[in-house]
Amino acid sequence: MCTVLSEHGWRIAPSTYYDHINRGPSVRMLTDAQVIDAIFMLRKNKPLTRVLGTRKTWIMLRGTGLDVARCTVERVMREMGWHGAIKKKRVRTTIPDAAAKRPTDLVDRQFYAAAPNTTAVDRVYCCCDLRFWWHCWARFW
């Protein structure tokens, strides 16, 4: 393996390679596995805990005796794809039908340009709560 990597410009000592191969899992990997198991069992045994977010899941884990950092619970839940209930509704957008007929202009507006390659700007002033607001429309031809 070291010779193949050194052919591509990566010089690695054989002792580094064998140290990496023989190294066991890190402390973080072991604690993450323990937290994943605890959250999985919590969500399996108490189905209502599936709607809990990271903060309340962390509180429940500490209540069961597992002393873990909240950021660890956040990271593990994010990596596993677990999340609590989402209060916001999903945004639904309207997809127009290309074959449908568009409504006619009921105001009978006449859009025309005074000259080619000009911009027409129209301003409307509105009085709301003793403040003047103005809206500006620009039309490019």
Side-chain angles (χ1 to χ4, degrees), residues 60-74:
M60 290 196 71
L61 287 177
R62 289 184 57 107
T64 59
L66 183 63
D67 190 23
V68 64
R70 189 174 72 192
C71 60
T72 303
V73 175
E74 290 172 354

Side-chain angles (χ1 to χ4, degrees), residues 8-130:
H8 295 286
W10 292 81
R11 299 203 49 153
I12 297 176
S15 61
T16 306
Y17 171 73
Y18 287 113
D19 184 43
H20 176 72
I21 293 297
N22 296 327
R23 186 181 306 151
S26 66
V27 175
R28 180 176 175 170
M29 291 176 67
L30 294 174
T31 56
D32 284 356
Q34 186 181 11
V35 171
I36 288 171
D37 289 341
I39 295 173
F40 179 76
M41 292 307 292
L42 185 71
R43 291 169 72 101
K44 181 181 173 189
N45 294 337
K46 297 179 182 177
L48 291 178
T49 59
R50 292 181 189 157
V51 298
L52 300 180
T54 56
R55 186 179 151 270
K56 291 187 179 179
T57 303
W58 170 70
I59 291 170
M60 290 196 71
L61 287 177
R62 289 184 57 107
T64 59
L66 183 63
D67 190 23
V68 64
R70 189 174 72 192
C71 60
T72 303
V73 175
E74 290 172 354
R75 182 175 41 80
V76 165
M77 286 184 69
R78 183 175 51 247
E79 288 173 359
M80 296 299 292
W82 294 331
H83 54 82
I86 300 172
K87 292 181 182 179
K88 289 197 295 186
K89 300 275 185 187
R90 293 190 184 255
V91 178
R92 292 187 64 188
T93 59
T94 305
I95 301 171
D97 184 14
K101 183 183 174 209
R102 302 287 179 250
T104 58
D105 185 16
L106 299 177
V107 184
D108 220 8
R109 292 175 280 211
Q110 300 295 322
F111 295 109
Y112 62 92
N117 295 328
T118 59
T119 304
V121 177
D122 188 17
R123 291 189 196 123
V124 175
Y125 294 93
C126 300
C127 179
C128 303
D129 295 334
L130 301 176

